[in-house]
Amino acid sequence: ITKELDMKIHEYQARDLLKQYGVPVPGGIVVESTAEAAKAFEQLNSSLAVVKAQVYAGGRGKGGGVKLAKSADEAKQAAEAILSKPLITPQTGAAGVKVNKLLVAEGVDIDKEFYLGMAVDRARGGPVLIASSEGGVEIEQVAHDNPDAILRIPIDAAAGLQGYQARMVAFGLGFKGKQVNQAVKAMQSLAKLFIELDASLAEINPL
């Protein structure tokens, strides 16, 4: 993801970049067949996994491209269901898209979901950190229905996201205790990735 490599990337590729920059990411294995999906479930050694279609389109869950599995057999069945037909989402059109790769990701217990992302503020010509305590839903809808739930922090590309800025966001999201430092580290790592790799030139689909 540089000025020479302007491209779209899949979720599993975005996850690899996040890990390189120190952002915590659950384990995951990329597969291309039902047998590989079953084997991946066993390799993850988790009681829960998520089988996710790797395509350039959002809304995969709504289209049936994201399925939970609690065993290797369920992972195999989920893979078969996703790979056997085109995936149709609000972003693919009626014809849908063929799924060739799947991500079998380690499942996690979720108490609350948050949204964290980076974008370019065209008006000021610089990066901006976007965060919300209302994660797990379409951020565009949150911005429309409850704009006060969205935090936007302009970032100096040369200096990066400063500690005080990240702490302000962490407190604004409701984090407490050791969660604050964990959130600050994740936010600064994400901002560093975005700026150093010039990720504004790429379309990252982490959903």
Side-chain angles (χ1 to χ4, degrees):
I1 308 179
T2 67
K3 292 183 179 179
E4 290 75 30
L5 295 174
D6 183 5
M7 65 179 71
K8 297 180 180 180
I9 64 174
H10 287 296
E11 175 187 358
Y12 72 90
Q13 295 167 315
R15 288 163 64 103
D16 287 343
L17 289 174
L18 290 170
K19 284 190 291 186
Q20 290 175 28
Y21 276 78
V23 179
V25 177
I29 300 172
V30 180
V31 304
E32 297 182 7
S33 70
T34 58
E36 289 178 353
K39 183 178 180 180
F41 182 93
E42 295 173 344
Q43 291 176 327
L44 289 173
N45 194 29
S46 174
S47 60
L48 177 68
V50 188
V51 182
K52 310 173 80 174
Q54 298 300 284
V55 296
Y56 299 128
R60 290 174 295 166
K62 294 179 180 178
V66 178
K67 298 182 180 295
L68 297 177
K70 296 182 179 180
S71 67
D73 187 56
E74 287 188 9
K76 181 177 181 179
Q77 294 176 27
E80 182 176 7
I82 298 173
L83 292 170
S84 63
K85 58 186 178 182
L87 179 65
I88 300 174
T89 81
Q91 295 184 7
T92 64
V97 293
K98 180 176 176 55
V99 181
N100 296 311
K101 292 182 184 291
L102 301 170
L103 174 65
V104 182
E106 180 182 358
V108 295
D109 291 328
I110 299 174
D111 291 327
K112 182 174 175 56
E113 295 181 273
F114 297 84
Y115 177 90
L116 180 65
M118 293 288 302
V120 172
D121 184 339
R122 303 298 179 187
R124 62 181 296 275
V128 59
L129 179 77
I130 304 172
S132 176
S133 60
E134 297 188 19
V137 295
E138 296 178 1
I139 196 64
E140 294 85 358
Q141 193 64 41
V142 174
H144 179 270
D145 297 340
N146 187 15
D148 290 339
I150 307 293
L151 301 176
R152 297 178 176 84
I153 306 298
I155 299 172
D156 184 320
L161 178 65
Q162 298 299 295
Y164 77 90
Q165 293 177 304
R167 285 191 293 274
M168 180 173 62
V169 174
F171 289 129
L173 294 176
F175 290 122
K176 298 178 180 179
K178 65 179 182 180
Q179 294 176 336
V180 174
N181 288 336
Q182 293 172 339
V184 166
K185 182 179 179 181
M187 284 185 271
Q188 289 186 307
S189 296
L190 177 63
K192 184 178 180 181
L193 182 160
F194 185 85
I195 294 169
E196 287 190 357
L197 299 187
D198 206 358
S200 61
L201 296 177
E203 292 186 37
I204 298 179
N205 179 24
L207 304 177

